[in-house]
Amino acid sequence: MSTKTTSNKYHIKKLDNEGHNYSTWAICCQTVLEDLNIWSVINPELTAPVPSVPPPSSTSGKSPSAEPSNPANTEWHKKNKKACTVILLSIEDTPIQIVKEKCLAKDIWKKLTECYTGVGAHDASILSPASIDSSWMIPNLWKFNSTRCMRCAPSFPTWVM
């Protein structure tokens, strides 16, 4: 007897609450969505016209996805639901609160892009060598290094000492 277990073969670092890792997260998440063959519900160039979103409840008491409809629409809705799941399970609490009202993976992706594009790039630019005032840094590192114990001093580059 064989037991089927499901495991997460993708290990994406979650999009953090401040969005500092947005660009890396977006690349990784897109790669997973492409591998699962569901990126087409997000990418406007690959997306066929979006079928209407089913109403939240129906007169039959069944969930909207359980009701018969056009097979192409049914397939699209399955892909959309799976894409939403992948995205929502790979983001932290604050980004979830930002997109919680969205029903379409395309809209979730768009909102996250609007909120977080450039956040990580901005943080990285603060640390770029061009933005560092070395006239302040080198004397202060020298002063700091001279007050440290001698066993720690080798951790500084020789040009600073």
Side-chain angles (χ1 to χ4, degrees):
M1 183 167 122
S2 152
T3 307
K4 183 178 180 186
T5 59
T6 54
S7 66
N8 182 3
K9 64 180 180 178
Y10 306 107
H11 299 284
I12 301 173
K13 182 177 178 185
K14 286 188 171 193
L15 174 61
D16 65 42
N17 288 323
E18 294 80 25
H20 295 294
N21 64 331
Y22 173 76
S23 59
T24 302
W25 170 85
I27 292 167
C28 293
C29 192
Q30 178 179 341
T31 302
V32 169
L33 294 169
E34 288 172 346
D35 189 53
L36 295 171
N37 198 28
I38 54 178
W39 177 246
S40 61
V41 298
I42 295 171
N43 188 338
E45 288 99 36
L46 300 177
T47 305
V50 177
S52 62
V53 178
S57 63
S58 65
T59 56
S60 69
K62 295 180 181 176
S63 68
S65 61
E67 296 190 11
S69 65
N70 178 339
N73 285 351
T74 301
E75 182 63 26
W76 188 92
H77 283 292
K78 284 180 183 178
K79 285 183 172 186
N80 182 66
K81 183 177 180 179
K82 192 170 191 175
C84 288
T85 301
V86 169
I87 294 168
L88 292 173
L89 291 177
S90 69
I91 62 179
E92 300 242 350
D93 296 341
T94 300
I96 286 175
Q97 293 304 312
I98 291 170
V99 299
K100 68 183 178 187
E101 302 295 323
K102 307 292 183 194
C103 298
L104 301 175
K106 179 179 180 177
D107 293 340
I108 293 171
W109 191 269
K110 181 179 178 184
K111 185 66 176 179
L112 292 172
T113 300
E114 289 169 359
C115 290
Y116 295 117
T117 295
V119 173
H122 173 71
D123 291 340
S125 71
I126 292 170
L127 300 175
S128 73
S131 65
I132 296 174
D133 179 7
S134 61
S135 65
W136 172 88
M137 188 177 87
I138 297 206
N140 285 305
L141 281 176
W142 176 261
K143 189 185 306 180
F144 175 74
N145 190 37
S146 65
T147 62
R148 291 173 46 130
C149 68
M150 289 310 291
R151 70 178 171 82
C152 299
S155 64
F156 280 98
T158 56
W159 61 267
V160 173
M161 299 165 47

